[in-house]
């Protein structure tokens, strides 16, 4: 079994690559892929660059070129729910695209024909995450995560996203990964640690907390890799 671990930004994967043994790097389609092992488990780690298009490309390459059997995403997100604070971990039970809009044709926000508004993540990987959290004494929030090609720094917009999709957090890649993994029948899991509250302070908070929150997420993902191996 080979596990893909993906982030969007260098800061999101550096704490992962640092912990790998026997690392080799391949450049493919203008991106770097790090193959190695973690506690004996084969992994391939890459960051996609920000946004749905780059995330789609990287997720597809991880599965189709590198032959990964599952994909774990690690990174940061903006909070929608007031109970999510900076550094809190949130796992997606489903992912939707908040900026996908053909409502002019009578469809709901986030829907295109032959697609679905919300793509669920793998239940088994979610339950492994809960077991890891329990073992570590960590609180894990779970809910819909909304994805779009926009950095949200506006309370009105984030409130709309929260209400329209019943979403708890937002980011810029998760739903793209979901579309790819769903189409290729590959189990996937999306974990985010909160870096900001998607409000008027979001860009400042993001810059301040990107590194620390990304590390919280990455450390948790590595514990999950150990559990998946034992399973
Ligand atoms: N990722 C982290 N914070 C975000 C925000 N406010 N908007 C979009 N993606 C994010």
């Amino acid at each position: 079994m080979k596990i893909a671990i993906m982030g969007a930004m260098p800061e999101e994967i550096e704490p992962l690559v640092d912990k790998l043994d026997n690392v080799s790097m391949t450049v493919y389609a203008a991106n770097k892929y790090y193959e190695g092992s973690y506690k004996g488990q084969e992994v391939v780690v890459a960051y996609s660059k920000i946004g749905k298009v780059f995330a789609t490309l990287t997720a597809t390459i991880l599965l189709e070129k590198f032959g990964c059997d599952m994909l774990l995403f690690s990174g940061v997100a903006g909070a929608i729910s007031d109970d999510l604070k900076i550094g809190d971990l949130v796992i997606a039970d489903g992912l939707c695209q908040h900026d996908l809009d053909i409502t002019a044709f009578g469809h709901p926000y986030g829907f295109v024909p032959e697609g679905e508004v919300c793509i669920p993540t793998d239940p088994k990987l979610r339950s492994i995450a809960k077991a890891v959290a329990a073992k570590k004494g960590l609180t894990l929030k779970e809910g819909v995560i909304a994805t779009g090609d926009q950095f949200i720094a506006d309370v009105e917009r984030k409130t709309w996203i929260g209400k329209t999709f019943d979403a708890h957090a937002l980011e810029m890649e998760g739903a793209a990964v979901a579309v790819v993994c769903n189409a290729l029948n590959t189990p996937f899991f999306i974990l985010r640690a909160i870096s900001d509250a998607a409000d008027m302070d979001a860009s400042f908070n993001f810059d301040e907390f990107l590194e620390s929150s990304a590390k919280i997420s990455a450390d948790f993902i590595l514990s999950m890799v150990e559990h998946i191996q034992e399973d």
Side-chain angles (χ1 to χ4, degrees):
M1 188 190 39
K2 214 192 260 190
I3 302 177
I5 312 179
M6 185 176 152
M9 302 175 71
E11 291 84 350
E12 290 172 331
I13 69 150
E14 270 153 19
L16 298 161
V17 176
D18 282 352
K19 297 268 170 64
L20 301 188
D21 297 316
N22 306 316
V23 187
S24 67
M25 193 267 281
T26 306
V27 176
Y28 185 78
N31 211 359
K32 293 185 186 120
Y33 292 83
Y34 299 90
E35 292 173 272
S37 63
Y38 180 72
K39 307 222 165 152
Q41 169 61 54
E42 217 182 332
V43 298
V44 187
V45 182
Y47 76 91
S48 55
K49 298 185 277 292
I50 293 165
K52 292 191 291 180
V53 176
F54 284 127
T56 302
L57 177 65
T58 301
T60 305
I61 289 169
L62 282 164
L63 304 190
E64 292 287 278
K65 179 177 166 57
F66 290 92
C68 293
D69 305 295
M70 67 173 67
L71 191 154
L72 313 177
F73 191 103
S74 179
V76 301
I80 297 177
S81 312
D82 288 337
D83 65 333
L84 282 173
K85 305 295 177 208
I86 286 167
D88 284 357
L89 285 167
V90 56
I91 65 172
D93 56 13
L95 284 303
C96 60
Q97 297 183 58
H98 67 71
D99 58 350
L100 184 55
D101 179 358
I102 55 164
T103 54
F105 297 92
H107 294 297
Y109 285 104
F111 178 83
V112 288
E114 298 179 55
E116 49 193 322
V117 173
C118 194
I119 299 177
T121 54
D122 184 64
K124 198 164 166 223
L125 289 173
R126 266 186 270 150
S127 62
I128 289 172
K130 285 175 206 162
V132 169
K135 204 169 164 190
K136 286 173 163 276
L138 290 173
T139 307
L140 212 52
K141 306 268 169 60
E142 185 177 4
V144 171
I145 295 183
T147 303
D149 283 327
Q150 298 159 350
F151 183 84
I152 307 294
D154 177 65
V155 171
E156 209 177 305
R157 175 75 187 158
K158 90 156 172 172
T159 304
W160 180 86
I161 293 168
K163 284 204 176 114
T164 307
F165 299 97
D166 193 21
H168 294 223
L170 51 85
E171 35 84 314
M172 302 179 70
E173 297 81 21
V177 171
V179 168
V180 170
C181 293
N182 190 47
L184 295 171
N185 286 317
T186 304
F188 73 101
F189 173 81
I190 310 281
L191 176 71
R192 299 279 183 167
I194 299 300
S195 56
D196 60 85
D199 55 10
M200 62 186 280
D201 299 323
S203 56
F204 304 102
N205 288 334
F206 181 90
D207 281 345
E208 188 173 349
F209 296 109
L210 166 63
E211 221 179 291
S212 55
S213 292
K215 183 156 186 345
I216 291 170
S217 176
D219 287 347
F220 191 92
I221 286 285
L222 289 175
S223 301
M224 275 185 72
V225 170
E226 277 182 72
H227 260 68
I228 290 166
Q229 213 177 7
E230 289 159 11
D231 226 43

